[in-house]
Amino acid sequence: MALALQQLINGLTLGAVYGLIAIGYTMVYGIIGMINFAHGDIYMVSAFIAVTVFTLLAGFGISSVPLSLLVVLLVAVFFTSIYGWTVERTAYRPLRGSTRLAPLISAIGMSIFLQNMVQLTQGARVKPIAPVLVGGIDVLTVDGFTVRLAYSQILIVVVTVTLMTGFTWLITKTSFGRQQRSCEQDRLMTSLLGINVDRTISLTFMLGAALAAVAGVMVTVYYGVVDFFIGFVAGIKAFTAAVLGGIGSLPGAMLGGLLIGLIEAFWAAYLSAEYKDVATFTILIVVLMFRPSGLLGRPEVEKV
């Protein structure tokens, strides 16, 4: 029971990170109908930005954890949003009127470019940092096994719930959210009504990149080490989470992320850690066989 509770905590923490990245995937897909395959590498770039800023703050003698986290989050969100805007301007906007395959290949090319850029500028070795947020709460002890809730895990869950609530309000209650949903339904009619479609799409890419930046900072705090390849793995898992929950659905993206995190944690603890990815994708296939639109997705209705 104690082991199950510990894996539940670990799975929810990991799933919250996947969910944050998956929201970026589902927002971009919802507005332009394309998958941004460079999104995982933007998350990777934000993790390296976090490592750099944490190192600089430590060099300047700033030891306050709340101040360091705030500064790192602000810097990472700012620069990563610029990366998101750049990806949209260079990899998607010039190809918006072409076939659907062209921007897909362009996004994959941007992903490879970002990976190699970081590898060449930062090196191929892992980049560790000193522990930022240490300690935790001992929840339960059974037969010498202690269930521990780390402060970094609490931080990840609190930040994820806050951002999920904020983005749900942004999409459903604000003028920008209405513009975004209008672009999702019909971009031509939206432009005829006077809405700047290009600006709305660019802001959507920037918001998705900002969420990836937060996920990158949280992972850096949680694990304390990053490398240039983490974007590919996390990107595939987050994309899987978005599809599992229902691509285009914000709650579905978060639900899919949590489910994948829990599947990985429990499978690695009770069965085989080497096959946890196999289990994840097998469950995805089974779900899509019975619900092709995902758990919370709605099937597209084509009007004739």
Side-chain angles (χ1 to χ4, degrees):
M1 187 64 188
L3 178 60
L5 181 58
Q6 184 65 68
Q7 293 308 316
L8 176 64
I9 294 172
N10 297 339
L12 289 176
T13 304
L14 182 61
V17 174
Y18 288 154
L20 282 178
I21 308 173
I23 290 176
Y25 276 110
T26 203
M27 286 175 63
V28 170
Y29 181 85
I31 197 169
I32 65 172
M34 294 286 180
I35 299 298
N36 179 16
F37 280 107
H39 189 65
D41 295 284
I42 289 179
Y43 150 82
M44 177 266 298
V45 169
S46 72
F48 273 90
I49 292 173
V51 169
T52 303
V53 178
F54 274 128
T55 304
L56 289 174
L57 291 175
F60 285 121
I62 299 176
S63 58
S64 172
V65 174
L67 179 61
S68 298
L69 284 173
L70 179 61
V71 172
V72 170
L73 277 172
L74 291 176
V75 174
V77 166
F78 175 76
F79 283 105
T80 310
S81 297
I82 295 176
Y83 273 98
W85 177 82
T86 304
V87 167
E88 193 276 330
R89 288 299 300 265
T90 57
Y92 279 94
R93 187 177 297 187
L95 302 173
R96 198 176 295 164
S98 62
T99 61
R100 294 174 66 90
L101 188 60
L104 177 65
I105 296 173
S106 178
I108 294 174
M110 182 62 71
S111 170
I112 296 172
F113 168 78
L114 289 174
Q115 278 189 30
N116 284 272
M117 180 195 72
V118 172
Q119 183 181 8
L120 290 173
T121 56
Q122 302 294 322
R125 294 183 178 181
V126 297
K127 297 289 184 182
I129 61 170
V132 177
L133 194 59
V134 296
I137 302 171
D138 292 338
V139 179
L140 181 67
T141 301
V142 178
D143 296 331
F145 182 88
T146 301
V147 179
R148 188 168 181 81
L149 179 61
Y151 292 136
S152 56
Q153 293 175 318
I154 297 174
L155 175 67
I156 290 173
V157 172
V158 169
V159 169
T160 300
V161 171
T162 303
L163 287 176
M164 184 66 194
T165 304
F167 267 80
T168 301
W169 173 82
L170 177 71
I171 299 302
T172 58
K173 301 295 183 181
T174 65
S175 175
F176 172 74
R178 289 190 291 272
Q179 293 175 19
Q180 192 182 51
R181 283 179 280 134
S182 177
C183 290
E184 179 182 348
Q185 293 180 8
D186 192 330
R187 290 203 297 269
L188 177 60
M189 181 58 68
T190 300
S191 63
L192 292 175
L193 292 174
I195 296 173
N196 191 329
V197 174
D198 288 338
R199 184 183 63 184
T200 304
I201 293 175
S202 293
L203 286 174
T204 301
F205 270 82
M206 293 176 70
L207 287 173
L211 285 174
V214 175
V217 173
M218 295 297 105
V219 164
T220 304
V221 172
Y222 187 47
Y223 291 109
V225 62
V226 300
D227 65 76
F228 76 97
F229 203 64
I230 62 171
F232 175 79
V233 177
I236 292 295
K237 297 287 183 65
F239 173 62
T240 304
V243 174
L244 179 63
I247 193 75
S249 168
L250 263 66
M254 184 55 65
L255 175 62
L258 293 175
L259 286 176
I260 288 180
L262 290 171
I263 290 168
E264 288 192 3
F266 281 99
W267 193 278
Y270 290 102
L271 295 171
S272 173
E274 291 81 5
Y275 289 95
K276 66 180 189 298
D277 293 339
V278 176
T280 299
F281 290 107
T282 300
I283 292 174
L284 171 68
I285 293 170
V286 171
V287 170
L288 293 182
M289 286 175 59
F290 297 97
R291 287 192 60 86
S293 56
L295 294 175
L296 299 183
R298 290 175 296 179
E300 293 185 4
V301 179
E302 184 177 351
K303 296 182 179 179
V304 180

